[in-house]
Amino acid sequence: DLNKVRQEHNCASNLKIDNPKTYNLTVHMRGETYKIKAREDETLLIAMEREGLIAPSRCRSGSCGFCHSKLIKGDVLTPKELEHRRLADFKFGCIHPCSTYPKGDIEIDVPPFDMLKEIK
């Protein structure tokens, strides 16, 4: 339930778009491929969470880089105030799903993380 997700005020929020389009989001994660839907007014992370995928996240604003994922194909939007990618992220085609919005069909590779280690 997304109403139970804690969110700070500096976190990426839904964009204010009338009648947002819905795109296909292909997610490669933990050796599996998931095909889900993502609205253009929501971050890729929110789309994954809405569909029950547990993706790495911490800050939810793009600043920590923990959620960095490889953009395989597609066009995305990262608002200037949420653009915290490092030079290496640009060089290797990485995005931060917590602060990135789809502008069309997207395919990403989300690196695995050990959730039990993260909880400790």
Side-chain angles (χ1 to χ4, degrees), residues 17-76:
I17 298 174
D18 292 331
N19 302 313
K21 296 175 186 168
T22 299
Y23 301 111
N24 296 310
L25 173 57
T26 302
V27 180
H28 303 280
M29 185 168 51
R30 296 180 201 92
E32 300 288 333
T33 299
Y34 305 92
K35 295 188 179 288
I36 63 174
K37 298 294 182 185
R39 293 190 333 252
E40 70 177 323
D41 67 339
E42 68 185 358
T43 66
L44 299 178
L45 178 63
I46 292 294
M48 289 187 281
E49 291 174 339
R50 182 176 28 75
E51 295 296 325
L53 300 180
I54 300 173
S57 68
R58 283 192 179 148
C59 72
R60 304 183 77 83
S61 67
S63 60
C64 77
F66 183 71
C67 68
H68 81 281
S69 300
K70 174 82 172 169
L71 177 64
I72 297 171
K73 68 178 176 180
D75 193 16
V76 295

Side-chain angles (χ1 to χ4, degrees), residues 10-12 59-65 67-69 71 76-91 93-101:
N10 63 343
C11 292
C59 72
R60 304 183 77 83
S61 67
S63 60
C64 77
C67 68
H68 81 281
S69 300
L71 177 64
V76 295
L77 166 70
T78 302
K80 186 176 180 176
E81 66 274 10
L82 297 173
E83 183 59 84
H84 299 288
R85 287 181 288 172
R86 295 159 185 84
L87 290 177
D89 290 330
F90 286 101
K91 180 178 179 181
C94 291
I95 59 168
H96 297 166
C98 71
S99 60
T100 301
Y101 301 83

